[in-house]
Amino acid sequence: MKRPYNFNPGPAALPRVVLEQAQKEFLDYNGTGVSVMELSHRSTDYEMVHNQAQEHLKELLGLSEDYIVLFLQGGASLQFTMVPMNFLEREKLGNYILTGVWSEKALKEGMLFGRTHIGGSSDAERYSFIPSIDQITIDDQDAYVHITSNNTIYGTQWQSFPRFVHAPLIADMSSDILSRPIPIGDFDLIYAGAQKNLGPSGVTVVIIKQNLLVKSQENLATMLNYQTYSENNSLYNTPPTFGVYMLGLVLDWIKGQGGLAGLARQNKVKAELLYEIIDASDGFYKGHARVDSRSHMNVTFTLPSEDLTSQFLTQAKEEGFLGLAGHRLVGGCRASIYNAVPFEACEALARFMSIFRNNH
Ligand SMILES: *Cc1c(COP(=O)(O)O)cnc(C)c1O
C-alpha cells in the first residue's frame, strides 16, 4: 500500500515499521491472547512495557541516576501549568524566554501562580529567531528559566543552549525531543507531548532532576504534583498504556537508527534538502526563520502571493503530500520533518518545490 508523504505538524508521522509491529501484535500482545490495551496496568506484561520505555529513554539521552522519567497525561499544555504550580517559589521569579506561541502559553500559566519575568523575546520580529545569550537576562535567583527548544509554528530551534549555574533550566521539547544529542546535564526538567517525535498523542514525557523534584510545593492537588508520579513510578492511577507501549516501539526504532547522533545526521540532511531549494529560488520561496535559527524539524516558508500559496497546497495534496499548510499565525507553508519522516519524503518534496517554482 502506498501511503502519502506525511508532513503533518502533530500528531505526526510514525515510523512505518513501528505501525506494522503494533498491527502484528494488536490482537495478541506477547502471547497474552489480548491486546496490550486490554491488559491491567498492574500486570507484569504491562509493567515490562512501562519500565522498558523508561530505561530506553534513559539510555538514549544518557541520563544519570539524578534523573527520573515520568509518564503523564494532559499534553505539553498541562506542563505549562504544572511547572509553575510545583516550582514557582513565592519570593522568586519564573523567567520565560519567549520564542513563539507555545512559550507565550507557558508564560500565561506561570503568571497565574506567581511572579514572572520575560528574560528575552523575539516577538518584535515575528519570532523569526532565537535570542542570543547576550540578549537574555537571567538571575541566579530565578525560580527557573523556561525555554521552548523548537518552535513548531515559526520553524526556529535553539542551536545551542544557555548554561546557568543556579537557576534550573526547564525546556518544552515537544517538537524536537530525541532528534539530536543534547547536553542533558544542563537541564533540570524537560517535557514533551509525544505526538511529534515520540508516539501517539495521550502520553507526555517528563524528565526531571531529583534536586528540582524535591523543591516541589506541598499541598498540591495529587494529580498535579510531580511527587505523586515519581513516588508511584507513574502508576498512581491508570497511565496511558497504549501510548506508553507505542513510545516503547518508537524508542526501539530510534536505537536502530543509531540513536540521537544517527538521527541528528539524518535530520540535518533532510532539512538541508528543503532549505537549499528555498535559498536557490531567487526569493520565490522565503524562509520565515532567520538562517542562524532554522529548525531541522519544521521548515516554514512563504510564496509570493496568497494565490500561489493555495495553488501550491492544492497541487501538493494531489501529488500525495500531506499537512503542508502553514500555521494561521505565520501563513504560507510548513513542512514538519520529524524523526519518522523519511529522507525520500523530503527528497520528493524538494523535487516538487523545484518544479513548482520553475513552472511559476
Ligand atoms: C504541539 C506543542 C505543544 C502542545 O502540545 P499538547 O500536547 O497539544 O498540549 C506545546 N509545545 C510545543 C513546542 C509544541 O510543539
Side-chain angles (χ1 to χ4, degrees):
M1 173 191 160
K2 178 148 167 52
R3 307 179 80 226
Y5 298 118
N6 188 351
F7 295 96
N8 276 330
L14 286 165
R16 188 183 172 112
V17 290
V18 164
L19 296 173
E20 285 168 348
Q21 176 75 19
Q23 183 183 47
K24 210 167 74 191
E25 46 195 30
F26 197 67
L27 295 179
D28 178 5
Y29 176 71
N30 197 26
T32 56
V34 297
S35 168
V36 71
M37 278 185 282
E38 303 173 290
L39 287 173
S40 163
H41 60 295
R42 310 280 176 211
S43 66
T44 326
D45 280 292
Y46 176 71
E47 264 189 18
M48 287 272 288
V49 169
H50 191 90
N51 294 341
Q52 248 177 34
Q54 287 172 340
E55 283 311 310
H56 287 175
L57 261 171
K58 285 185 186 164
E59 205 179 302
L60 283 165
L61 281 162
L63 297 178
S64 67
E65 292 302 311
D66 301 341
Y67 290 88
I68 304 175
V69 175
L70 308 175
F71 300 137
L72 283 75
Q73 302 190 55
S77 300
L78 185 61
Q79 296 309 302
F80 298 163
T81 311
M82 280 179 71
V83 163
M85 205 178 205
N86 281 259
F87 303 122
L88 187 43
E89 295 166 70
R90 196 179 289 280
E91 55 301 344
K92 296 189 171 190
L93 292 175
N95 190 344
Y96 288 81
I97 314 295
L98 300 187
T99 52
V101 169
W102 297 119
S103 2
E104 284 178 2
K105 288 188 170 169
L107 169 67
K108 176 175 170 236
E109 297 303 297
M111 289 166 71
L112 296 172
F113 295 96
R115 293 190 303 138
T116 55
H117 169 72
I118 298 175
S121 174
S122 51
D123 180 24
E125 310 271 344
R126 296 182 63 231
Y127 291 125
S128 56
F129 69 97
I130 301 292
S132 60
I133 303 298
D134 54 3
Q135 294 170 308
I136 291 174
T137 56
I138 58 134
D139 189 296
D140 281 349
Q141 290 306 308
D142 288 335
Y144 54 78
V145 180
H146 180 283
I147 66 168
T148 314
S149 58
N150 182 74
N151 299 279
T152 326
I153 293 171
Y154 298 91
T156 62
Q157 188 173 25
W158 291 73
Q159 309 297 317
S160 60
F161 296 102
R163 282 191 75 178
F164 312 121
V165 183
H166 296 291
L169 180 58
I170 295 183
D172 174 1
M173 290 200 182
S174 294
S175 53
D176 70 347
I177 191 166
L178 304 189
S179 70
R180 54 177 174 168
I182 52 163
I184 186 71
D186 294 346
F187 293 90
D188 297 85
L189 191 154
I190 289 170
Y191 61 89
Q195 67 271 24
K196 280 121 188 180
N197 260 325
L198 296 178
S201 60
V203 56
T204 308
V205 169
V206 175
I207 294 158
I208 185 169
K209 217 177 204 168
Q210 298 270 13
N211 298 353
L212 181 63
L213 182 65
V214 296
K215 286 200 239 169
S216 70
Q217 310 277 335
E218 280 166 19
N219 304 322
L220 295 178
T222 309
M223 288 300 289
L224 298 176
N225 189 333
Y226 289 113
Q227 302 269 7
T228 303
Y229 296 85
S230 139
E231 284 165 10
N232 296 281
N233 189 26
S234 303
L235 286 160
Y236 173 79
N237 75 326
T238 318
T241 54
F242 188 71
V244 172
Y245 157 77
M246 289 295 290
L247 167 65
L249 295 184
V250 170
L251 296 175
D252 276 346
W253 174 81
I254 293 177
K255 285 169 100 183
Q257 300 297 306
L260 306 193
L263 281 176
R265 273 193 301 274
Q266 295 181 29
N267 289 330
K268 181 169 188 281
V269 173
K270 281 153 51 185
E272 279 173 358
L273 272 177
L274 302 181
Y275 286 124
E276 273 166 22
I277 298 290
I278 291 171
D279 292 340
S281 73
D282 285 329
F284 183 79
Y285 298 115
K286 278 203 179 65
H288 177 76
R290 213 168 71 183
V291 173
D292 63 8
S293 302
R294 280 175 167 174
S295 166
H296 284 180
M297 297 281 101
N298 308 95
V299 178
T300 49
F301 56 94
T302 53
L303 282 82
S305 69
E306 290 287 326
D307 184 45
L308 280 169
T309 307
S310 85
Q311 277 187 52
F312 179 92
L313 290 171
T314 308
Q315 208 174 314
K317 201 169 167 198
E318 282 165 11
E319 304 207 9
F321 298 98
L322 217 62
L324 287 174
H327 191 279
R328 64 196 142 72
L329 290 169
V330 181
C333 305
R334 165 175 57 175
S336 298
I337 52 172
Y338 304 118
N339 285 344
V341 174
F343 175 81
E344 297 71 47
C346 296
E347 212 179 18
L349 178 59
R351 206 177 312 123
F352 173 77
M353 287 172 70
S354 173
I355 293 169
F356 187 89
R357 186 237 175 279
N358 289 340
N359 291 345
H360 296 84

